[in-house]
Amino acid sequence: MAFDSTQTASPLDRVLEFIRVLEAGGGAAKIRPYLADSFVLVEAPHLLAPEGSTRTLDDVLAGADQSSQVVANQKFVIRRTTCEGGRVAVEADWSATVLMDIRYWDRGETIRARTSSVFEVRDGLLTSQDSYDCYFR
């Protein structure tokens, strides 16, 4: 019988595992086991998306596969976490190396942001993420 961490890990543990998979450059296949079919990512307006965005599971998985063409060497420094039931709040410093010229950054530069995200976890799967990113220029 295979070990199933979705049934034994706390909501906080599942979110931190998910973040580590993202940090390692995990594409769609690697992040999919963490996400519920109904997963929704809501991004508040920020420097790169002034209107904000709402993405479904399919959107998120497509973006995960494309991210390796845009950034490398992602790093999350977790500053603080809070967990209440299935709701997990994470504050982190994020950085990555830009692999192509994008608005405000040139290829090879380091992009940095202070992030806060609130995740909902049910039955070991992330059902939503509300993200608040503050990019440094």
Side-chain angles (χ1 to χ4, degrees), residues 102-120:
I102 61 174
R103 188 175 186 182
Y104 305 115
W105 292 275
D106 295 328
R107 181 177 184 220
E109 289 187 314
T110 299
I111 185 172
R112 297 181 315 116
R114 182 68 181 246
T115 69
S116 293
S117 290
V118 179
F119 297 86
E120 291 287 341

Side-chain angles (χ1 to χ4, degrees), residues 116-127:
S116 293
S117 290
V118 179
F119 297 86
E120 291 287 341
V121 181
R122 188 177 313 120
D123 299 325
L125 296 174
L126 285 65
T127 60

Side-chain angles (χ1 to χ4, degrees), residues 60-111:
V60 169
L61 295 176
D65 279 340
Q66 293 172 350
S67 71
S68 65
Q69 298 169 14
V70 181
V71 296
N73 306 316
Q74 290 190 80
K75 184 171 182 176
F76 290 87
V77 176
I78 306 298
R79 295 293 178 196
R80 184 170 31 193
T81 63
T82 302
C83 184
E84 180 181 306
R87 180 172 290 149
V88 178
V90 177
E91 296 176 45
D93 292 330
W94 172 83
S95 63
T97 303
V98 180
L99 299 177
M100 63 174 59
D101 292 344
I102 61 174
R103 188 175 186 182
Y104 305 115
W105 292 275
D106 295 328
R107 181 177 184 220
E109 289 187 314
T110 299
I111 185 172

Side-chain angles (χ1 to χ4, degrees), residues 26-47:
K30 292 192 178 175
I31 67 168
R32 179 61 180 99
Y34 293 88
L35 306 176
D37 293 342
S38 60
F39 181 79
V40 175
L41 168 62
V42 176
E43 288 183 297
H46 58 75
L47 191 61

